[in-house]
Amino acid sequence: MIIERLKSGVITVGPGRGFIVEGAGERLVITAAHCLPSLPPAGPSFRLVARTFGPLLALRGEEHSAWAVCRFVDPIADIAVLGSSDNSHADDYIAPMGTAADPPHKRPSRAVELTP
Protein backbone atom coordinates (compact mmCIF):
# COMPACT_ATOMS: atom_id res chain seq x y z
CA MET A 1 0.00 0.00 0.00
CA ILE A 2 2.76 2.47 0.85
CA ILE A 3 4.51 1.74 -2.46
CA GLU A 4 1.31 2.64 -4.35
CA ARG A 5 1.04 5.93 -2.46
CA LEU A 6 4.64 6.77 -3.28
CA LYS A 7 4.22 5.83 -6.94
CA SER A 8 1.22 8.14 -7.21
CA GLY A 9 3.51 11.14 -6.58
CA VAL A 10 5.80 10.29 -9.52
CA ILE A 11 5.21 12.05 -12.83
CA THR A 12 6.93 12.25 -16.21
CA VAL A 13 9.26 15.23 -16.69
CA GLY A 14 10.57 15.46 -20.23
CA PRO A 15 12.48 12.22 -20.90
CA GLY A 16 12.69 11.33 -17.20
CA ARG A 17 10.72 11.29 -13.99
CA GLY A 18 10.15 13.60 -11.06
CA PHE A 19 8.22 13.56 -7.82
CA ILE A 20 5.79 15.98 -6.27
CA VAL A 21 6.33 17.70 -2.93
CA GLU A 22 4.14 20.22 -1.20
CA GLY A 23 5.48 23.21 0.65
CA ALA A 24 4.55 26.81 1.31
CA GLY A 25 1.07 26.16 -0.05
CA GLU A 26 2.33 25.06 -3.46
CA ARG A 27 3.07 21.75 -5.13
CA LEU A 28 6.52 21.57 -6.66
CA VAL A 29 8.28 18.96 -8.78
CA ILE A 30 11.76 17.72 -7.89
CA THR A 31 13.57 16.20 -10.86
CA ALA A 32 16.98 15.77 -12.44
CA ALA A 33 18.34 18.86 -14.19
CA HIS A 34 19.11 16.80 -17.30
CA CYS A 35 15.34 16.29 -17.74
CA LEU A 36 14.99 19.95 -18.73
CA PRO A 37 15.19 20.72 -22.46
CA SER A 38 17.91 23.27 -21.69
CA LEU A 39 19.31 25.07 -18.68
CA PRO A 40 17.69 28.41 -17.90
CA PRO A 41 19.92 31.51 -17.96
CA ALA A 42 21.90 32.13 -14.79
CA GLY A 43 20.90 35.07 -12.62
CA PRO A 44 17.65 36.15 -11.00
CA SER A 45 17.04 39.08 -13.34
CA PHE A 46 15.92 36.96 -16.30
CA ARG A 47 12.26 37.10 -17.09
CA LEU A 48 9.85 34.26 -16.37
CA VAL A 49 9.61 33.31 -20.03
CA ALA A 50 13.30 32.34 -20.09
CA ARG A 51 12.72 29.87 -17.25
CA THR A 52 9.42 28.42 -18.53
CA PHE A 53 9.45 25.05 -20.26
CA GLY A 54 6.71 23.08 -21.88
CA PRO A 55 4.92 21.08 -22.56
CA LEU A 56 7.15 19.23 -20.10
CA LEU A 57 5.05 17.48 -17.43
CA ALA A 58 2.54 14.63 -17.59
CA LEU A 59 1.07 11.86 -15.55
CA ARG A 60 2.92 8.61 -16.16
CA GLY A 61 1.85 7.04 -19.42
CA GLU A 62 0.29 10.22 -20.83
CA GLU A 63 1.47 12.82 -23.35
CA HIS A 64 3.32 15.86 -22.00
CA SER A 65 0.80 18.68 -21.66
CA ALA A 66 1.82 20.84 -18.72
CA TRP A 67 4.25 23.77 -18.65
CA ALA A 68 6.43 24.56 -15.65
CA VAL A 69 8.82 27.24 -14.42
CA CYS A 70 12.28 26.26 -13.27
CA ARG A 71 12.56 27.69 -9.75
CA PHE A 72 15.98 26.24 -9.02
CA VAL A 73 18.57 24.25 -10.97
CA ASP A 74 22.00 22.91 -10.08
CA PRO A 75 23.56 21.31 -13.15
CA ILE A 76 26.52 19.96 -11.15
CA ALA A 77 24.29 18.13 -8.65
CA ASP A 78 21.81 17.37 -11.49
CA ILE A 79 18.74 18.58 -9.62
CA ALA A 80 15.94 20.97 -10.54
CA VAL A 81 12.83 22.31 -8.80
CA LEU A 82 9.85 23.17 -11.00
CA GLY A 83 6.77 25.16 -10.10
CA SER A 84 3.70 26.74 -11.59
CA SER A 85 3.78 29.99 -13.48
CA ASP A 86 1.34 32.86 -13.46
CA ASN A 87 0.71 32.65 -17.17
CA SER A 88 -1.73 31.04 -19.56
CA HIS A 89 -0.24 27.58 -18.93
CA ALA A 90 -0.85 27.55 -15.17
CA ASP A 91 -3.99 25.42 -15.52
CA ASP A 92 -2.01 22.83 -17.49
CA TYR A 93 0.47 22.61 -14.59
CA ILE A 94 -2.26 22.27 -11.98
CA ALA A 95 -3.94 19.28 -13.63
CA PRO A 96 -1.18 16.69 -13.14
CA MET A 97 -0.17 18.20 -9.79
CA GLY A 98 -3.66 17.76 -8.41
CA THR A 99 -4.15 14.16 -9.40
CA ALA A 100 -0.68 12.63 -9.33
CA ALA A 101 -0.33 12.94 -5.56
CA ASP A 102 -3.85 11.66 -4.85
CA PRO A 103 -4.21 8.01 -3.88
CA PRO A 104 -4.97 5.86 -6.95
CA HIS A 105 -8.46 4.96 -5.75
CA LYS A 106 -9.38 8.67 -5.57
CA ARG A 107 -7.73 9.67 -8.84
CA PRO A 108 -10.07 10.55 -11.74
CA SER A 109 -9.56 8.67 -14.98
CA ARG A 110 -8.12 11.83 -16.65
CA ALA A 111 -6.47 14.78 -14.93
CA VAL A 112 -8.70 17.81 -15.23
CA GLU A 113 -8.27 20.18 -12.30
CA LEU A 114 -6.72 20.55 -8.88
CA THR A 115 -9.11 20.01 -5.99
CA PRO A 116 -7.47 20.75 -2.64
Side-chain angles (χ1 to χ4, degrees), residues 26 48 52 67-69 71 83-91 93:
E26 179 182 15
L48 189 64
T52 303
W67 293 64
V69 171
R71 300 285 178 87
S84 176
S85 62
D86 294 329
N87 65 22
S88 61
H89 301 293
D91 290 339
Y93 173 85

Side-chain angles (χ1 to χ4, degrees), residues 33-34 39 72-80:
H34 72 263
L39 290 177
F72 170 82
V73 64
D74 183 340
I76 303 299
D78 195 27
I79 190 164

